[in-house]
Amino acid sequence: MKVFIQEFHKEQIISAIQRLVAFPSVCHEGENGTPFGQAISDVLTDTLTLCSELGFKTYRDPDGYYGYAEIGEGSDLLAILCHLDVVPEGDLSKWDSNPFEAVIRDGNLYGRGVQDDKGPSMAALFAVKALMDSGEKLTKRIRFIFGTDEETLWRCLRSFTEKEEQATMGFAPDATFPVIYAEKGLLQARLLGSGSKNLSLEAGEAYNVVPAKATYQGHLTSDLVPILTSLGFAFEEKADAVTVFGLAKHTKDAPLGINAIVRLAKGLTELVKHPALDFIVKGVEEDATGAQLLGKIWDEESGHLSFNIAALTINNEFSEIRLDLRIPVLADVEQLVAELKEVASDYGLTYVEHDYLDPLYVPQDNELVSTLMSVYQDKTGDMTPAKASGGATFARTMPNCVAFGACFPDSDKTEHQENEHIALSDIYKAMDIYAEAVYRLACE
Ligand SMILES: [Zn+2]
């Protein structure tokens, strides 16, 4: 195998990631007349500037939903599907450094987005740059597509697929190695109910994160404290507020997290009755596979259902539970939704769909999958088979696309968490794999 990556590419990629992390590109819909906020608009512009500095032709959607950078020749188009938005920083006190200033400590790069997805996007970009610097000739066009609301509703890529050329094949560097050939269906929904005169709270952030804390502030605090103590839950009391702690995880790994909202609800329900608390405490329990509520939902291709209570609002006027479900590829989604609606209505709650994404499934004998798998195996010696995931990547927005890297099976998975980080050695290894992959897929 040829060597494409030079030492200076390693320096360039780190400063490129640092440059992009400096934009706090969390979705703020409609801010300053942009679709998803000023920082997202700015990071899109700056990423395209960076790409054109590297010799790519760039295009920015006039509405600001997406942009792309293209290089190479030929009728075939290899898409590399990236995103530039990030989830909120979470609990700032748990960060050892500013989330929006990427810094190197102990061989890792820390910052929001270094793993999801600014770091992997740059690894793929600089891999192609390294191929160019080596004088390789592309027989396909390589197009980096930069989405801007991946962490929320994917309106960017919906707009892209409506308006732009369809790729011949592609991959999303937004998951783990080796190849992910199946992604669970994604369903986000809200359960609406009545308000409460005695209870007001607002907990949770993004749909796709298991909430790591949930705060109650009000007259029940002093009664709540001994209950939480007897339940053995971690919490902190401050003035007339109490914050219950959990463990943040991406929704796809919800069963590995600890849901702070569920724990707060378990405490509160001893003191005040409310349908939303009942649904959480009696219906779901601390079972993030949803089995308590819906029975066991599982298939061999993609594993368990993941059922995350992402957020809870209760106020005078209404209550709202926000749910994020990752559904096994072979599950009957219509039946699942019907059951969820029914059980919600048993608790007096009304089901409203927020977002739904079909699952992804590309057969393992597909040429793209086999090429990417052999690149990964040749480069690492790791024979881990291609796999299924509960994550949702842009790969499912186009036919013949899969997710590929940039985390390794043994890397710390810190996406969406405080102190998000990526090992420098992983960045370089990923860059090397992407260079070889693009070489085999799109060079002479
Ligand atoms: Zn991502």
Side-chain angles (χ1 to χ4, degrees):
M1 278 180 285
K2 296 188 194 176
V3 175
F4 302 112
I5 310 296
Q6 312 285 328
E7 282 307 309
F8 68 90
H9 294 120
K10 297 183 181 178
E11 285 161 28
Q12 287 176 345
I13 186 182
I14 300 303
S15 57
I17 298 169
Q18 288 171 323
R19 175 170 161 178
L20 300 191
V21 169
F23 296 91
S25 49
V26 175
C27 187
H28 295 289
E29 243 167 75
E31 186 184 66
N32 298 345
T34 65
F36 310 120
Q38 192 61 51
I40 285 180
S41 177
D42 291 345
V43 76
L44 176 60
T45 301
D46 195 53
T47 302
L48 295 173
T49 302
L50 171 69
C51 292
S52 77
E53 288 163 10
L54 299 180
F56 288 74
K57 283 182 287 185
T58 63
Y59 175 81
R60 191 185 198 281
D61 168 43
D63 298 324
Y65 281 72
Y66 60 86
Y68 57 79
E70 193 175 298
I71 201 159
E73 275 163 48
S75 55
D76 284 353
L77 182 64
L78 169 65
I80 300 176
L81 302 160
C82 308
H83 69 89
L84 299 173
D85 58 317
V86 293
V87 296
E89 64 273 22
D91 184 349
L92 208 51
S93 71
K94 289 192 183 153
W95 283 86
D96 297 326
S97 54
N98 182 345
F100 300 108
E101 192 182 315
V103 290
I104 295 170
R105 284 198 302 276
D106 307 325
N108 293 300
L109 186 62
Y110 284 80
R112 176 57 86 225
V114 294
Q115 195 172 81
D116 181 19
D117 185 43
K118 291 169 177 173
S121 300
M122 290 302 100
L125 184 71
F126 280 86
V128 174
K129 170 69 162 56
L131 284 180
M132 300 295 90
D133 290 345
S134 304
E136 298 301 336
K137 189 168 166 9
L138 291 165
T139 56
K140 292 186 173 73
R141 288 171 296 136
I142 314 292
R143 181 181 287 187
F144 284 83
I145 300 167
F146 298 105
T148 56
D149 72 331
E150 197 273 347
E151 301 294 358
T152 51
L153 284 172
W154 293 27
R155 289 154 289 194
C156 55
L157 265 265
R158 281 203 181 102
S159 175
F160 180 93
T161 49
E162 276 163 25
K163 293 200 270 190
E164 304 290 344
E165 176 185 351
Q166 197 171 77
T168 318
M169 64 173 76
F171 64 87
D174 192 17
T176 50
F177 289 117
V179 171
I180 293 170
Y181 67 94
E183 289 180 3
K184 289 180 188 174
L186 175 151
L187 175 66
Q188 295 173 335
R190 299 181 293 145
L191 303 181
L192 301 175
S194 57
S196 170
K197 298 241 173 329
N198 307 316
L199 184 60
S200 169
L201 66 95
E202 174 71 63
E205 290 184 30
Y207 272 91
N208 53 11
V209 191
V210 175
K213 62 175 185 177
T215 299
Y216 168 79
Q217 182 168 28
H219 66 286
L220 300 172
T221 298
S222 57
D223 294 327
L224 185 56
V225 165
I227 295 170
L228 293 171
T229 305
S230 70
L231 287 168
F233 295 161
F235 69 91
E236 181 183 80
E237 187 189 1
K238 243 186 218 159
D240 64 340
V242 60
T243 298
V244 177
F245 297 111
L247 176 65
K249 286 282 168 191
H250 191 285
T251 292
K252 70 183 196 295
D253 301 317
L256 303 176
I258 297 172
N259 193 311
I261 289 176
V262 176
R263 293 195 155 189
L264 176 62
K266 284 177 104 167
L268 282 170
T269 198
E270 305 283 321
L271 300 169
V272 55
K273 290 296 157 210
H274 190 277
L277 297 183
D278 274 354
F279 175 84
I280 293 170
V281 174
K282 293 187 196 148
V284 182
E285 249 283 345
E286 285 195 78
D287 182 352
T289 69
Q292 166 89 6
L293 191 74
L294 300 166
K296 184 175 169 181
I297 297 175
W298 179 91
D299 66 36
E300 194 159 341
E301 283 69 15
S302 57
H304 278 285
L305 174 70
S306 184
F307 190 102
N308 181 33
I309 295 174
L312 171 64
T313 301
I314 301 176
N315 59 35
N316 252 319
E317 278 85 50
F318 71 99
S319 70
E320 179 179 280
I321 298 170
R322 297 194 278 289
L323 299 174
D324 188 334
L325 279 65
R326 306 299 162 109
I327 304 167
V329 290
L330 299 182
D332 183 339
V333 177
E334 271 177 38
Q335 192 195 328
L336 184 153
V337 170
E339 279 173 31
L340 180 56
K341 276 182 184 168
E342 195 180 314
V343 67
S345 88
D346 291 345
Y347 285 92
L349 305 173
T350 307
Y351 171 96
V352 179
E353 183 176 305
H354 176 70
D355 193 17
Y356 175 71
L357 300 172
D358 277 320
L360 158 87
Y361 182 66
V362 179
Q364 292 189 63
D365 57 4
N366 173 289
E367 192 192 329
L368 172 72
V369 175
S370 59
T371 304
L372 295 178
M373 282 304 290
S374 61
V375 170
Y376 175 77
Q377 289 167 352
D378 293 349
K379 285 288 184 184
T380 63
D382 174 14
M383 302 306 279
T384 304
K387 59 179 185 163
S389 161
T393 69
F394 281 160
R396 68 173 82 196
T397 64
M398 289 171 206
N400 207 23
C401 286
V402 294
F404 186 53
C407 277
F408 291 87
D410 59 355
S411 315
D412 291 346
K413 307 289 185 299
T414 58
E415 55 173 21
H416 298 195
Q417 297 174 38
E418 289 90 3
N419 279 330
E420 178 176 347
H421 60 273
I422 186 167
L424 297 178
S425 55
D426 281 2
I427 298 176
Y428 305 145
K429 247 188 339 182
M431 191 162 56
D432 188 39
I433 289 169
Y434 289 140
E436 182 68 26
V438 173
Y439 177 70
R440 290 195 202 171
L441 289 169
C443 287
E444 287 179 322

